[in-house]
């Protein structure tokens, strides 16, 4: 892709072929310097943009600096192939890079006095501090990509809510004898979905209904995508797998390596059955555009027109997905029965505001959940427990849990079991945090100065994870279904 910014074009002549960074190092290759560290890390992560913490800034060198100038609109430092951004602007800068399809490796300084190693990965390297006043250690903190763009370092003590937007999944495609195989890999949720025996129109509808992060991963023979080449995205990458039956494993392994995660932590969502139990064919892309399921000029948005004006965006998107990709008959029957039970309900419904599963998994697994997150999680768990324990809602709950089990690939629990698990996780959080504390305050029952807060919050996360994960996934999907018919607060991404 051609460079467009004059500032980026001016850096081309400043690049040097002497090292993997393409950075002209005037100080030489002395061990222990920041540039020497960057060169060594670039040899390991040649396909990533390196952003390295240096005091109050994150810096990039050589080709990485050129990409920073081109895509993030920054200016080079002193006319050299060197650029950076303040710590406060890291997320915005990384978003510019990941939106352009780039992968970013972020490195943090590790202060020995604080032993700040929570969430950091890889070997620690010592780098001379500025002015020769000491030795600083740096370590890879997180790899950001279009499929997982949110940076979560040092968030567990933040007094502010943690912003999160559900990212697009990665997609892998291969052609088999019985049709196309498409795999969606959700990085933050640590799950992947396999769609088999797709016709060409069904494949096109599925890709349109669920936009993916670049690049499109291709497996199978070289001509696997030839018949669909006219409308497939131009940015593609080939996987070293020839059989469509091995596409899922190859796609998960590739994505996990790309973002420095363990492929074994990803779990498969259930595949749709074949035969008379299979779901109906997806709506054709042209039809979906004409009726307003997909964006089209001059055509109103159908799901928004069907739901009340106050319906949350998550409920709108869930209805859109159900119309674009109809569920199999058993799930469609459960959804219809749930809507009937919801319409027949006469009493008030417990307030449940689900958390996106991707946000929950990311924060808890990285041990970066803060007090705001745990209060939100506790509210979710309390509402779930109240809803599942309400005998007047038993019919609704039983049908929603059928849908949840199919969406999440979990074993269907009874309303009583889910109510108990949610209540236990809620009590664990309540015992460690003051849930009614004013916004912006931690409100821990223990004084903040008397405890090491990161381990305290880690303890809450570890103790609550088992019950919270299953119950919030369940209530999130359940509230989505309820919201699409009655404008309840929901989160479709949690499904």
């Amino acid at each position: 892709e051609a460079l467009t910014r004059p500032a980026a074009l001016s850096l081309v002549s400043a690049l040097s072929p002497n090292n993997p960074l393409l950075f002209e190092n005037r100080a030489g290759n002395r061990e222990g310097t920041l540039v020497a560290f960057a060169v060594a890390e670039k040899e390991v992560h040649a396909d990533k943009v390196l952003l390295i913490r240096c005091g109050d800034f994150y810096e990039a060198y050589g080709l990485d600096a050129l990409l920073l100038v081109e895509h993030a609109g920054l200016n080079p430092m002193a006319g050299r192939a060197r650029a950076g951004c303040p710590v406060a602007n890291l997320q915005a800068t990384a978003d510019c890079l990941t939106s352009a399809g780039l992968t970013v490796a972020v490195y943090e300084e590790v202060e020995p006095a604080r032993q700040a190693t929570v969430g950091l990965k890889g070997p620690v390297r010592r780098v001379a501090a500025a002015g020769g006043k000491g030795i600083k250690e740096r370590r890879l903190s997180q790899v950001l990509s279009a499929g997982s763009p949110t940076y979560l370092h040092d968030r567990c003590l933040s007094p502010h809510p943690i912003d999160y937007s559900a990212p697009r999944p990665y997609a892998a495609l291969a052609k088999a004898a019985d049709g196309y195989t498409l795999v969606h890999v959700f990085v933050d949720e640590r799950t992947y979905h396999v769609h088999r025996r797709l016709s060409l129109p069904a494949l096109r509808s599925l890709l349109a209904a669920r936009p993916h992060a670049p690049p499109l991963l291709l497996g199978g023979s070289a001509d696997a995508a030839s018949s669909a080449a006219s409308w497939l995205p131009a940015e593609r990458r080939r996987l070293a797998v020839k059989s469509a039956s091995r596409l899922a494993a190859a796609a998960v392994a590739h994505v996990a390596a790309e973002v420095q995660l363990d492929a074994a932590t990803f779990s498969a969502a259930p595949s749709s059955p074949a035969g008379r139990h299979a779901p109906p064919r997806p709506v054709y892309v042209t039809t979906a555009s004409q009726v307003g399921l997909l964006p089209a000029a001059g055509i109103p948005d159908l799901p928004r027109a069907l739901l009340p004006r106050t319906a949350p965006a998550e409920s709108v998107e869930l209805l859109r997905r159900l119309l674009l990709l109809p569920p199999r008959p058993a799930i469609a029957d459960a959804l219809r029965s749930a809507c009937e039970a919801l319409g027949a309900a006469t009493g008030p419904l417990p307030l449940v505001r689900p958390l996106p599963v991707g946000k929950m998994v990311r924060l808890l697994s990285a041990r970066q959940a803060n007090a705001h997150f745990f209060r939100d999680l506790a509210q979710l768990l309390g509402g779930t427990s109240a809803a599942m324990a309400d005998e007047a809602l038993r019919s609704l709950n039983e049908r929603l849990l059928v849908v949840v089990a199919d969406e999440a690939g979990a074993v269907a629990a009874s309303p009583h079991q889910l109510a108990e698990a949610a209540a236990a996780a809620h009590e664990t959080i309540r015992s460690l945090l003051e849930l009614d504390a004013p916004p912006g305050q931690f409100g821990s029952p223990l004084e903040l100065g008397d405890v090491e807060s990161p381990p305290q919050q880690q303890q809450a996360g570890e103790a609550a994870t088992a019950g919270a994960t299953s119950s919030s996934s369940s209530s999130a999907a359940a509230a989505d279904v309820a919201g699409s018919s009655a404008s309840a607060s929901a989160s479709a991404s949690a499904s």
Side-chain angles (χ1 to χ4, degrees):
E1 183 178 328
L3 299 175
T4 58
R5 292 197 71 224
L9 288 168
S10 68
L11 291 182
V12 174
S13 60
L15 300 179
S16 168
N18 295 333
N19 54 60
L21 278 176
L22 303 185
F23 179 69
E24 182 183 359
N25 187 9
R26 298 174 182 174
N29 295 319
R30 293 181 314 202
E31 284 293 325
T33 63
L34 182 57
V35 173
F37 169 81
V39 169
E41 291 300 308
K42 192 66 175 179
E43 291 176 348
V44 179
H45 304 287
D47 59 342
K48 298 175 178 62
V49 177
L50 308 189
L51 294 181
I52 303 173
R53 181 74 174 264
C54 185
D56 294 330
F57 286 83
Y58 291 91
E59 296 190 1
Y61 303 90
L63 181 61
D64 294 343
L66 185 148
L67 294 172
L68 210 60
V69 171
E70 171 68 16
H71 295 292
L74 302 180
N75 294 318
M77 298 180 180
R80 302 183 64 194
R82 178 184 175 191
C85 69
V87 169
N89 295 348
L90 174 64
Q91 186 64 65
T93 301
D95 287 344
C96 293
L97 297 172
T98 56
S99 297
L102 299 171
T103 304
V104 182
V106 183
Y107 292 81
E108 291 289 346
E109 295 174 343
V110 180
E111 301 178 19
R114 290 179 54 194
Q115 295 296 318
T117 59
V118 174
L120 301 184
K121 310 172 184 178
V124 176
R125 300 181 187 270
R126 294 181 179 273
V127 181
K133 297 181 180 179
I135 298 294
K136 285 193 175 182
E137 297 176 347
R138 289 179 172 85
R139 184 181 286 184
L140 176 62
S141 173
Q142 188 178 333
V143 175
L144 308 177
S145 68
S148 183
T150 305
Y151 189 54
L152 296 178
H153 174 69
D154 209 16
R155 296 294 186 93
C156 60
L157 289 180
S158 171
H160 307 294
I162 299 174
D163 294 332
Y164 179 88
S165 297
R168 295 170 291 171
Y170 284 99
L173 171 65
K175 189 175 183 180
D178 57 351
Y180 288 91
T181 297
L182 179 67
V183 179
H184 280 126
V185 182
F186 297 83
V187 175
D188 286 357
E189 296 180 21
R190 304 291 198 274
T191 60
Y192 62 95
H193 297 234
V194 183
H195 309 271
R196 297 185 175 89
R197 300 178 296 276
L198 296 174
S199 65
L200 197 58
L203 170 65
R204 188 173 184 181
S205 297
L206 195 56
L207 288 173
R210 183 166 273 166
H212 61 84
L216 176 65
L217 306 175
L218 295 178
S221 60
D223 63 342
S226 58
S227 56
S230 61
W231 47 264
L232 285 180
E235 191 173 352
R236 311 170 194 172
R237 184 175 299 176
R238 185 158 292 282
L239 298 176
V241 58
K242 296 183 179 180
S243 172
S245 62
R246 299 180 180 178
L247 179 66
V252 171
H254 172 85
V255 172
E258 190 78 5
V259 296
Q260 299 289 291
L261 294 174
D262 183 1
T265 62
F266 287 75
S267 59
S271 299
S272 299
R276 62 188 181 91
H277 299 294
R281 294 179 179 178
V283 180
Y284 283 86
V285 171
T286 52
T287 303
S289 300
Q290 291 168 357
V291 301
L293 283 175
L294 293 176
I299 299 179
D301 186 273
L302 179 60
R304 291 190 180 278
L306 292 174
L307 293 178
R309 186 172 299 179
T310 55
E314 294 84 358
S315 296
V316 175
E317 292 311 309
L318 174 64
L319 181 58
R320 189 189 313 279
R321 179 161 67 88
L322 291 173
L323 294 175
L324 280 169
L325 307 170
R328 58 192 178 92
I331 302 306
D333 290 343
L335 283 165
R336 183 177 62 252
S337 298
C339 290
E340 291 173 351
L342 184 63
T346 57
L349 298 176
L351 179 62
V352 179
R353 293 193 183 96
L355 289 169
V357 167
K359 178 178 183 178
M360 183 176 61
V361 173
R362 279 286 310 279
L363 288 175
L364 291 178
S365 61
R367 298 182 177 182
Q368 291 298 319
N370 64 356
H372 267 283
F373 170 83
F374 280 116
R375 290 194 189 101
D376 291 342
L377 181 57
Q379 189 277 334
L380 163 67
L381 293 166
T384 299
S385 180
M388 291 294 136
D390 191 342
E391 285 297 320
L393 300 177
R394 172 176 287 275
S395 178
L396 171 64
N397 291 334
E398 289 176 345
R399 285 154 179 80
L400 286 179
L401 289 180
V402 172
V403 181
V404 168
D406 183 77
E407 287 275 332
V411 177
S414 69
H416 176 71
Q417 291 172 325
L418 188 57
E420 286 190 341
H426 180 277
E427 179 60 27
T428 299
I429 296 174
R430 192 197 64 79
S431 67
L432 294 173
L433 289 175
E434 177 54 61
L435 299 180
D436 297 325
Q441 296 182 17
F442 284 95
S444 171
L446 302 177
E447 290 299 324
L448 202 58
D450 297 337
V451 298
E452 296 181 3
S453 295
Q456 176 98 356
Q457 304 236 352
Q458 292 169 27
Q459 180 185 358
E462 292 167 357
T465 296
T469 301
S470 60
S471 56
S472 68
S473 298
S474 301
S475 58
D480 280 348
V481 176
S484 64
S485 58
S487 185
S489 297
S491 170
S493 59
S495 299

